[in-house]
Amino acid sequence: VGSEMCIRDRYVVHILPFFHNIPVENRLRHLEYIRDDLLRKSGEYNEEQNRLINALKKLSFVPHHDGSFKQASNFFSPFNELMTVMINDPSQFPPEPFSSWNWKYFMTLVGMKTEITKDLFLEFASCLQSQGCHSIPLSEEIKKKSRCLVRHLFQLQDLHTAEFLKRVSEIKFIAPHEMDPFYCNICPQPNDATNQLIPFKGSVRSKYLVTTWTQHRILPSWTDTCSRDASIGLSDLGVQKPTPKISLTHIETCLLYT
């Protein structure tokens, strides 16, 4: 143990600050030694190990496609489903071997981005909203992203503050219910020419389709499945329950259209 402590300090003081001088072909051997010996998986690291971890967080050791080397914190986790679905640029993820399971724990330990924060989720939703402006009809990729975002929205309880829910409810990132032509032939739905996606706010659940389709955009049925057993409900996101007045207006609209 004493010799390992000495070696850890040697890495922190003498080797890692000059890591860029080590031939590229030899760097991985050092990192594997640190991973497998000096920083073996542990519930709690001692002071020397924490110093080594902090030094590794500042170390640019991950090769980037532009030929440079980046810190682990510059990359998103390839093991996070939402990140892999929402991020199309492969250079945002670490390359092999650092994207393999053998490196997952180490890369997370030294700063790779693994957490879906409120800001990151809002960024993902806003990005999808922008894509919805240009995809007519909606592509299967956008539908997949929409479903994945909604599912994670209900699963990630740390996101569920009142301010966050208000902001996310207004972003158009949900692929709407696919209407049967039978209803559209009777009377069309409200249409947003600027975007094919819809927000939670002001929309209604698909079970109310028959009595409201001319007055509200309709959420897909899978939003009910995603929200089941969640700590928040669809009403927390501004989803409407049709009133008798809305249903009456809907009937009048259908009659006028025919």
Side-chain angles (χ1 to χ4, degrees):
V1 175
S3 62
E4 282 191 0
M5 290 172 59
C6 181
I7 293 172
R8 291 188 198 108
D9 283 339
R10 196 172 300 164
Y11 265 98
V12 170
V13 177
H14 299 295
I15 299 177
L16 296 185
F18 305 99
F19 201 70
H20 58 281
N21 292 329
I22 298 175
V24 174
E25 61 271 20
N26 295 333
R27 295 179 189 178
L28 189 61
R29 197 175 310 157
H30 284 277
L31 294 169
E32 288 173 339
Y33 173 65
I34 293 172
R35 179 194 67 186
D36 297 337
D37 290 270
L38 302 184
L39 291 177
R40 286 188 296 271
K41 288 185 181 180
S42 170
E44 185 175 346
Y45 289 110
N46 60 36
E47 186 178 342
E48 290 77 16
Q49 287 175 314
N50 283 323
R51 272 203 300 270
L52 179 56
I53 291 168
N54 288 333
L56 288 163
K57 287 180 178 179
K58 300 172 186 176
L59 182 67
S60 298
F61 67 91
V62 184
H64 194 251
H65 72 92
D66 63 6
S68 65
F69 290 86
K70 305 287 187 183
Q71 297 173 359
S73 59
N74 281 271
F75 299 93
F76 289 95
S77 172
F79 307 102
N80 183 290
E81 181 196 12
L82 186 57
M83 290 178 179
T84 58
V85 168
M86 296 304 300
I87 299 171
N88 294 329
D89 181 2
S91 70
Q92 296 290 306
F93 298 99
E96 288 286 350
F98 301 108
S99 58
S100 68
W101 279 98
N102 287 342
W103 288 95
K104 178 185 177 183
Y105 181 81
F106 178 86
M107 288 293 288
T108 301
L109 189 66
V110 300
M112 180 173 68
K113 289 179 276 196
T114 61
E115 181 185 358
I116 303 295
T117 63
K118 295 183 181 73
D119 286 342
L120 183 59
F121 191 97
L122 291 170
E123 181 182 333
F124 284 161
S126 297
C127 182
L128 193 56
Q129 175 176 254
S130 297
Q131 294 175 32
C133 296
H134 308 292
S135 179
I136 303 174
L138 289 176
S139 67
E140 290 303 314
E141 180 186 7
I142 287 180
K143 292 177 184 178
K144 177 183 177 182
K145 288 181 176 181
S146 175
R147 193 165 189 153
C148 191
L149 263 179
V150 170
R151 178 160 49 82
H152 281 81
L153 172 62
F154 287 102
Q155 289 176 351
L156 299 171
Q157 296 187 27
D158 290 345
L159 303 182
H160 299 166
T161 62
E163 180 185 358
F164 171 82
L165 295 176
K166 181 179 183 301
R167 290 179 64 186
V168 80
S169 72
E170 298 171 350
I171 302 174
K172 299 172 183 177
F173 69 97
I174 305 157
H177 177 80
E178 296 184 7
M179 292 290 292
D180 189 312
F182 171 81
Y183 298 107
C184 296
N185 289 336
I186 296 172
C187 188
Q189 269 197 297
N191 184 44
D192 180 358
T194 66
N195 206 310
Q196 300 299 302
L197 297 171
I198 63 174
F200 276 110
K201 187 175 181 180
S203 297
V204 299
R205 297 167 62 189
S206 60
K207 72 176 186 176
Y208 298 119
L209 182 152
V210 174
T211 58
T212 61
W213 88 79
T214 66
Q215 304 303 305
H216 290 283
R217 297 304 298 272
I218 311 297
L219 293 171
S221 59
W222 50 257
T223 56
D224 288 327
T225 305
C226 292
S227 63
R228 194 173 297 142
D229 301 324
S231 62
I232 57 168
L234 290 168
S235 60
D236 295 307
L237 292 160
V239 175
Q240 301 291 304
K241 186 173 182 179
T243 62
K245 183 178 179 180
I246 287 292
S247 297
L248 182 59
T249 304
H250 165 72
I251 294 170
E252 291 171 345
T253 302
C254 290
L255 292 172
L256 286 172
Y257 194 79
T258 54

